[in-house]
């Protein structure tokens, strides 16, 4: 069964550093998303992406965040200058019949 | 803004019993709802979805009920098993958008007692 994959599973970085989180959505899905979940809290929408451009973004998705689909399979989330409060699980998702989530990347900012 | 909430943060059931997890939503414009299961350290796992033109949908051992009048959603799990222990989230698509970005509730932790 096809699934969304994400790498790395865990990323540790120093405050102020740039990180890139990678995702491979399910092939033939057209909408892609990033969500985050701070430990013990609910899943929060960050950004949706369709036809090589951002469809919608939340207030969380400020100028420090960017997304890219560099090729036909990968979908990336970049945080330019990480802050302590960026520490969270980051989930990629894609939509076909239903919205399917990847296993997440745990980002720890020290 | 959109608001999705859950009536009960925790639910414990005996193995073999049926479970009912409830969810309230506030945005009457929402027309798509999904239930997710999240096990510790994993991503949300799609369980079942329902569109607002339906009031009931059944899957394997799960049933989702939608009451648009009172903006209430429920997930029924039949013959609950230990493997069903997890946090369950309802999610809605809020204002109708083509992107279907989802707004999640805070979750209900289901514990199945063997």
């Amino acid at each position: 069964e096809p699934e969304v994959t994400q790498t790395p599973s865990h990323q540790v970085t120093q405050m102020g550093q740039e990180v890139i989180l990678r995702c491979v959505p399910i092939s033939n899905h057209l909408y892609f998303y990033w969500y985050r979940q701070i430990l013990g809290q609910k899943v929060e929408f960050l950004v949706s992406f369709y036809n090589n451009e951002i469809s919608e973004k939340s207030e969380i998705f400020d100028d420090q965040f960017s997304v890219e689909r560099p090729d036909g399979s990968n979908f990336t989330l970049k945080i330019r200058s990480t802050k302590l409060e960026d520490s969270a699980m980051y989930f990629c998702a894609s939509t076909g019949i239903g919205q399917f989530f990847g296993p997440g990347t745990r980002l720890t900012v020290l | 803004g959109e608001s999705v909430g859950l009536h009960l943060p925790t639910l414990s059931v005996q193995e073999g019993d049926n479970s009912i997890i409830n969810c309230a939503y506030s945005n009457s414009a929402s027309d798509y709802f999904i239930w997710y299961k999240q096990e510790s350290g994993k991503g949300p796992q799609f369980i079942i979805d329902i569109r607002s033109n339906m009031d009931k949908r059944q899957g394997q051992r799960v049933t989702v009920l939608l009451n648009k009048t009172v903006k209430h959603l429920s997930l029924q799990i039949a013959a609950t098993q230990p493997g069903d222990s997890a946090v369950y989230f309802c999610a809605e698509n809020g204002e109708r958008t083509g992107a279907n970005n989802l707004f999640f509730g805070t979750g209900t932790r289901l514990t199945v007692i063997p």
Side-chain angles (χ1 to χ4, degrees), chain B residues 43-96:
Chain B
Q45 178 187 352
F46 177 94
I47 301 173
I48 191 167
D49 60 0
I50 189 168
R51 295 206 173 270
S52 59
N53 60 349
M54 303 174 70
D55 53 20
K56 179 179 180 179
R57 190 157 188 239
Q58 288 184 290
Q60 189 176 22
R61 278 202 308 121
V62 295
T63 301
V64 55
L65 299 177
L66 175 63
N67 186 329
K68 295 181 287 295
T69 302
V70 296
K71 295 199 281 288
H72 184 268
L73 194 68
S74 69
L75 177 70
Q76 301 178 3
I77 305 173
T80 316
Q81 302 167 0
D84 295 327
S85 293
V87 177
Y88 289 81
F89 294 93
C90 66
E92 58 165 333
N93 68 343
E95 294 293 332
R96 184 170 186 153

Side-chain angles (χ1 to χ4, degrees), chain B:
Chain B
E2 293 80 9
S3 172
V4 178
L6 292 161
H7 293 310
L8 297 174
T10 61
L11 177 66
S12 296
V13 298
Q14 291 287 337
E15 180 178 358
D17 287 352
N18 296 334
S19 302
I20 300 176
I21 301 171
N22 296 302
C23 177
Y25 64 95
S26 61
N27 193 332
S28 57
S30 295
D31 65 353
Y32 181 60
F33 307 88
I34 306 179
W35 279 102
Y36 286 94
K37 171 186 180 183
Q38 188 175 29
E39 296 172 284
S40 181
K42 297 184 178 180
Q45 178 187 352
F46 177 94
I47 301 173
I48 191 167
D49 60 0
I50 189 168
R51 295 206 173 270
S52 59
N53 60 349
M54 303 174 70
D55 53 20
K56 179 179 180 179
R57 190 157 188 239
Q58 288 184 290
Q60 189 176 22
R61 278 202 308 121
V62 295
T63 301
V64 55
L65 299 177
L66 175 63
N67 186 329
K68 295 181 287 295
T69 302
V70 296
K71 295 199 281 288
H72 184 268
L73 194 68
S74 69
L75 177 70
Q76 301 178 3
I77 305 173
T80 316
Q81 302 167 0
D84 295 327
S85 293
V87 177
Y88 289 81
F89 294 93
C90 66
E92 58 165 333
N93 68 343
E95 294 293 332
R96 184 170 186 153
T97 68
N100 265 341
N101 36 289
L102 299 174
F103 298 90
F104 282 74
T106 53
T108 292
R109 180 174 298 281
L110 175 66
T111 302
V112 181
I113 303 166

Side-chain angles (χ1 to χ4, degrees), chain A residues 40-99:
Chain A
Q41 299 186 23
K42 64 183 179 181
V43 177
E44 300 174 289
F45 167 74
L46 294 179
V47 64
S48 58
F49 192 85
Y50 172 74
N51 199 27
N52 284 321
E53 61 183 22
I54 290 175
S55 295
E56 292 187 55
K57 57 184 181 179
S58 70
E59 294 176 352
I60 303 168
F61 194 88
D62 61 21
D63 292 344
Q64 293 300 310
F65 291 87
S66 63
V67 290
E68 192 177 31
R69 187 155 166 83
D71 53 46
S73 60
N74 291 283
F75 179 50
T76 62
L77 174 69
K78 181 193 291 186
I79 309 175
R80 289 189 183 83
S81 179
T82 50
K83 303 186 288 289
L84 295 176
E85 53 265 37
D86 293 328
S87 294
M89 285 289 289
Y90 287 81
F91 295 107
C92 174
S94 65
T95 295
I97 300 175
Q99 190 166 132

